[in-house]
Amino acid sequence: MRRVLVINGPNLGRLGSREPEVYGTTTHADLARACEAAARELGLSAEVRQTDSETELVGWIHEAIDGRLPLVINPAAFSHYSYALRDALAMRTAPVIEVHISNPAARESFRHHSVVSAVADGTIAGLGLQSYELALQAIARLTGPA
Ligand code: DQA
């Protein structure tokens, strides 16, 4: 089965209790289980990770690049200012989909720009857990049969 990394940035480990009116009540563990199940349906094997560290995210992006693994990434707040993540993603060797649980375009102005979007194949935002499910569908389409 084709592997796909699903990587989540800072504060997403607090899903469930973090601003539930914005991010819902689904926990990160729930999100991981839902992604793994959605991926299986698509013939993919999803590995879901979360970190609050920019360094660790860059390391995981390098791992995906070296392994030619497709990536679903929610860079969280790093979306808006991390040139380090942007530069790492620019080296990608397989499809990359950026996801957001909320719709940053409908929120504070500092969230309106993502420095990562230009180096992703596409961005899916505002659909909660479904953002990840649609991103996995896009990865399945973009990568074709394993
Ligand atoms: C987020 C949106 C970002 O603006 C925010 O900093 C996050 C989560 C989302 O999934 O909606 O941490 O990426």
Side-chain angles (χ1 to χ4, degrees):
M1 243 192 246
R2 190 189 295 284
R3 282 176 72 207
V4 49
L5 293 190
V6 178
I7 61 178
N8 290 311
N11 300 306
L12 293 171
R14 315 287 293 188
L15 286 176
S17 59
R18 177 190 182 192
E19 297 180 86
E21 65 289 359
V22 177
Y23 298 108
T25 52
T26 303
T27 65
H28 190 269
D30 295 334
L31 181 149
R33 271 190 294 274
C35 285
E36 285 157 11
R40 260 195 309 277
E41 293 276 306
L42 294 160
L44 298 168
S45 163
E47 207 174 306
V48 184
R49 304 177 188 172
Q50 189 276 329
T51 180
D52 294 333
S53 155
E54 186 179 30
T55 309
E56 198 163 23
L57 281 172
V58 169
W60 290 345
I61 295 167
H62 291 170
E63 179 187 334
I65 291 162
D66 293 342
R68 309 190 87 78
L69 300 175
L71 203 53
V72 172
I73 180 166
N74 184 342
F78 290 140
S79 316
H80 312 302
Y81 65 92
S82 174
Y83 298 122
L85 287 191
R86 189 249 178 246
D87 284 352
L89 289 166
M91 293 185 275
R92 75 220 179 79
T93 51
V96 173
I97 305 291
E98 176 188 6
V99 296
H100 298 282
I101 294 167
S102 68
N103 179 3
R107 300 180 61 196
E108 303 95 323
S109 58
F110 75 88
R111 299 185 202 275
H112 293 180
H113 184 65
S114 164
V115 299
V116 164
S117 296
V119 288
D121 289 282
T123 300
I124 301 171
L127 303 173
L129 244 191
Q130 212 197 342
S131 293
Y132 289 80
E133 291 164 359
L134 292 172
L136 288 163
Q137 277 182 34
I139 293 287
R141 290 272 188 101
L142 290 166
T143 53

